[in-house]
Amino acid sequence: MKILSKEQVYQADKATENAENIPSYNLMERAGGYAFEFMHQRLQGQPVPVKIFCGIGNNGGDGLVIARYFVEHQYPVDVYVVNYSDNRSKDFLLALEELKKVTRKWPQVLKSEDDLPQINREDLVVDCIFGIGINRPAPKWVQQLFVNINQSGAYTVAIDVPSGMGVDVYIKDSEVIKPTIVLSFQTPKLAFFLPQSGKYINNWTVLDIGLDRNFMNSVQTQAQLIDKAEAQQMYKPRTKFSHKGTYGHALLIAGSYGKTGAAVLSCKGALSSGAGLVTAYTTQQGLPILQSSLPEAMVLADRYNGKYLEEIQFDLAPTVIGVGPGLGTEKITQQALKTFLKANKIPLVVDADALNILSENQEFLEFLPKYSVLTPHPKELERLIGTWEDDFEKLKKAEAFSKKYNCVLVLKDAHTITVFDGKYYVNNTGNPGLATGGSGDVLTGIITGLMAQGYDALTAAIFGVYLHGKAADIAINHTAYEGLTASMITEFLGQAYLDLFAQPEQKQ
C-alpha cells in the first residue's frame, strides 16, 4: 500500500476535484460521510453521548460534516469549535452553515482552558482539531484539551490523524491525542509507524474516500506499507524438478564462546526460510554444539582453538554469506573480518557484532559488496550513522548512508523499515513478543536463506522481515508475548509461508 506524503495528499485531493469536476467541499462531505458510517455501523443507534471537537480548518470541517450526520440520525451530540485562530477555511464555513440547517444546538466555541468541557468515560470523543497540516505545537490551552481527552478514558476516534501529531515532522514538546482508533483517509501516514509518533496510536484503519484512481495508481511514493498483498507478489514458488542445489548455499559466519546459540538461530532461520544448503562457520568449541543441535546444517571451524574467530577462511563457494550473530568484537576477530571483507565478492547480510565492528572501523564499509544487506537495531544504527534529533532525521540519515555505500539498510523496530535507493518499505507484521534475544539472529538467517534461493537483496530483506513478523504473529496464538522465543519464530516460519495464500474463513 502506498503511503502518501502530506504534499501528495493535497495533490490527490486536487486531482480528484479536477477529474470529477467537483468543488473541494464535496470531498469534505465524502470524507465526513465515510467516517460517520464507520462509527454508525458500530453504534447501531445506541444513545451514546458524542462529543466532537473541531478545529477551524478542513479537519474541523470534516468534524462538522460528521456532526451533521450524527444529528440527522438522532444521536445525542455536542459539538465544540476549538478556536485557536480567528481564520476559518472556506470549506469549514460551508460545513458550519450546513450543520446549522439541521439543529438549533449550534457548536460551542472554546477559547481558553476555562471553556473546556467535562469529558466522561462513557462519551464517544471524535477528534477533528488538527489534520495533516500541523507543524508546530498547539497553544497550551489546546494541549490541555488533549490531556483532558487522554485522561478521560473515553473511546476516542481521531479523524485522519491524531491532533498534535505531525505527519512529516516531529513536533517536539507537544501533547498528542492518544486515540482508540484513527480513521485515516485513503492511506496511512508514515508517522504512524515511527517510534516517537507511533506510540500514540493503538489502532488505525484506512477509509477509502474515492480519491482519483489514475492519480493513486501513477503517483510514486517514497514510502510503501508491506502487508500480505505485497508479500504475495514477492513469493517465488518452487518447481517440481528442483533439488537442494536449486535453492542455493547459505553460509553463516557466527558464534563465539558463550554465543554459539546465535549461530544456531541464524542457521535455523536460513534452513526454515528454504535455503537448499546451510553451512555454519564458527569456532572450534562451537562445532560440536552446532552439529548436535542442528543436524541439517554443515559446520566449518577456524584452525584455532580460541574463544573467538581468529580467521575467516573456507574452501567452498556459497551463494550468499550472513555474518555477525554472536561473533564478538575482539581485536583478532576484527582483523579476521577485515581480511575477509577485502577479499570477498559474494553477496553479504551483515548483522550484530559485524555491524559493531564496522561502526568501530568505518573504513571497512568501503569493502562491502554492492547491495549488501545491513540489519541494525536502533543502537547499532546509531553507532553506524550517528545520533539523530527525531525519527524523520533518522530516516534521512539512513537514506544517505544507504546511498553512500549502495547497501540495503534494514532498520529493525516495531515496524521495521527497509531503506534503499531513497525508498522506505514499512513492515506491518510482528508484535512485542519479538523483543527477545535471538530474534534478530533469526532474521539474519531468513534474509540470507532467501538470497540463497535467488531473491535479490532488496526483495529478500523486505520479504524476510515480513515473514519473520508473520511467524511471530502466528506464534502468539499459542503463547503470550512474554512466552515467545526466537526458536519459536523458526518453528512457525512454514506457517507464515502458508498464510500468504490462506483464504479467510467464510462466516456462517
Side-chain angles (χ1 to χ4, degrees):
M1 180 187 295
K2 294 176 179 179
I3 300 176
L4 270 61
S5 67
K6 180 171 71 175
E7 291 74 18
Q8 288 172 329
V9 170
Y10 294 143
Q11 291 167 10
D13 287 348
K14 185 59 66 176
T16 306
E17 294 161 20
N18 292 337
E20 299 182 18
N21 194 27
I22 57 173
S24 57
Y25 180 73
N26 286 37
L27 275 185
M28 182 176 286
E29 277 284 335
R30 190 184 300 178
Y34 277 116
F36 168 76
E37 281 300 322
F38 181 93
M39 291 179 274
H40 179 50
Q41 286 174 12
R42 287 151 181 81
L43 291 172
Q44 291 294 308
Q46 298 177 63
V48 175
V50 180
K51 287 184 169 67
I52 303 178
F53 293 90
C54 304
I56 44 76
N58 283 353
N59 194 250
D62 294 336
L64 295 175
V65 172
I66 294 168
R68 193 182 79 240
Y69 281 113
F70 269 115
V71 169
E72 290 174 343
H73 286 76
Q74 299 182 334
Y75 285 94
V77 57
D78 290 299
V79 185
Y80 304 92
V81 172
V82 183
N83 195 57
Y84 54 81
S85 168
D86 291 331
N87 299 319
R88 270 91 168 122
S89 75
K90 173 175 65 74
D91 288 341
F92 171 91
L93 294 172
L94 288 173
L96 181 60
E97 289 306 311
E98 292 300 312
L99 174 62
K100 289 179 177 179
K101 291 177 182 178
V102 299
T103 179
R104 294 182 179 178
K105 189 179 180 181
W106 289 8
Q108 301 176 48
V109 178
L110 309 179
K111 296 183 178 180
S112 70
E113 192 170 334
D114 293 337
D115 298 331
L116 301 184
Q118 176 72 33
I119 304 169
N120 303 310
R121 188 175 186 86
E122 62 270 18
D123 292 337
L124 168 63
V125 172
V126 182
D127 162 30
C128 301
I129 304 168
F130 292 106
I132 63 174
I134 188 172
N135 56 15
R136 60 183 183 274
K140 288 296 182 183
W141 71 270
V142 178
Q143 291 191 49
Q144 185 57 51
L145 172 59
F146 298 170
V147 171
N148 293 357
I149 291 172
N150 292 338
Q151 292 179 347
S152 71
Y155 192 101
T156 303
V157 180
I159 303 302
D160 207 24
V161 294
S163 287
M165 179 185 292
V167 297
D168 60 354
V169 63
Y170 177 65
I171 302 175
K172 192 176 179 181
D173 301 326
S174 176
E175 296 290 340
V176 176
I177 286 182
K178 301 175 183 177
T180 314
I181 188 170
V182 182
L183 306 184
S184 185
F185 296 140
Q186 207 66 39
T187 74
K189 312 301 186 277
L190 181 59
F192 294 0
F193 308 105
L194 303 178
Q196 287 176 317
S197 46
K199 65 185 179 183
Y200 296 110
I201 296 177
N202 293 312
N203 196 12
W204 59 270
T205 192
V206 167
L207 296 184
D208 185 344
I209 60 172
L211 295 183
D212 183 59
R213 289 298 166 199
N214 289 331
F215 177 88
M216 293 300 298
N217 290 335
S218 62
V219 66
Q220 297 295 312
T221 61
Q222 183 175 35
Q224 182 179 355
L225 187 65
I226 304 300
D227 219 328
K228 186 171 180 176
E230 291 76 19
Q232 283 177 342
Q233 301 302 312
M234 299 178 196
Y235 174 69
K236 291 184 175 184
R238 295 204 165 194
T239 59
K240 180 178 180 181
F241 293 101
S242 59
H243 51 83
K244 61 187 178 184
T246 308
Y247 302 109
H249 189 168
L251 174 65
L252 277 303
I253 302 171
S256 59
Y257 185 78
K259 295 181 181 178
T260 306
V264 174
L265 289 168
S266 58
C267 288
K268 277 187 175 181
L271 285 162
S272 299
S273 66
L277 293 167
V278 174
T279 296
Y281 186 93
T282 191
T283 59
Q284 288 283 347
Q285 57 83 30
L287 192 151
I289 299 171
L290 277 152
Q291 289 275 243
S292 59
S293 61
L294 204 57
E296 300 91 344
M298 298 171 284
V299 187
L300 296 174
D302 69 359
R303 295 174 297 168
Y304 302 92
N305 198 28
K307 293 183 177 181
Y308 304 94
L309 282 176
E310 299 182 34
E311 67 176 6
I312 302 174
Q313 294 182 17
F314 43 85
D315 187 20
L316 55 91
T319 314
V320 58
I321 300 171
V323 57
L327 202 61
T329 58
E330 296 296 309
K331 288 296 182 183
I332 190 69
T333 305
Q334 293 190 28
Q335 186 58 46
L337 182 64
K338 177 183 179 181
T339 303
F340 162 72
L341 289 175
K342 290 179 72 174
N344 175 65
K345 303 300 181 187
I346 296 169
L348 282 183
V349 180
V350 188
D351 184 33
D353 283 331
L355 291 174
N356 294 328
I357 292 172
L358 290 177
S359 66
E360 289 182 26
N361 306 271
Q362 297 248 338
E363 67 274 14
F364 291 8
L365 290 163
E366 302 291 346
F367 306 143
L368 293 177
K370 198 175 183 181
Y371 309 133
S372 292
V373 179
L374 280 60
T375 62
H377 61 53
K379 289 305 293 184
E380 291 165 346
L381 179 67
E382 184 180 309
R383 295 181 197 119
L384 279 175
I385 68 174
T387 58
W388 50 82
E389 286 292 321
D390 57 59
D391 288 334
F392 292 101
E393 184 186 4
K394 175 182 70 176
L395 285 174
K396 289 299 180 187
K397 294 185 78 169
E399 182 184 341
F401 181 94
S402 171
K403 286 182 177 178
K404 180 177 180 179
Y405 295 106
N406 208 352
C407 65
V408 177
L409 204 53
V410 178
L411 313 184
K412 293 187 290 195
D413 217 309
H415 288 279
T416 293
I417 300 177
T418 301
V419 178
F420 182 69
D421 195 24
K423 301 285 188 182
Y424 308 149
Y425 302 89
V426 183
N427 188 56
N428 200 33
T429 60
N431 59 72
L434 286 169
T436 185
S439 64
D441 302 325
V442 172
L443 177 61
T444 297
I446 293 172
I447 295 172
T448 305
L450 290 170
M451 289 177 66
Q453 295 169 72
Y455 290 85
D456 65 79
L458 178 60
T459 303
I462 298 168
F463 191 33
V465 168
Y466 173 87
L467 290 171
H468 180 260
K470 177 55 70 172
D473 290 340
I474 296 170
I476 62 163
N477 291 318
H478 305 269
T479 183
Y481 293 149
E482 293 82 357
L484 184 65
T485 63
S487 292
M488 292 178 69
I489 302 167
T490 64
E491 293 166 10
F492 284 92
L493 201 56
Q495 291 193 38
Y497 274 107
L498 289 174
D499 180 76
L500 285 172
F501 302 99
Q503 298 298 317
E505 293 183 10
Q506 297 295 321
K507 293 183 179 180
Q508 299 296 320

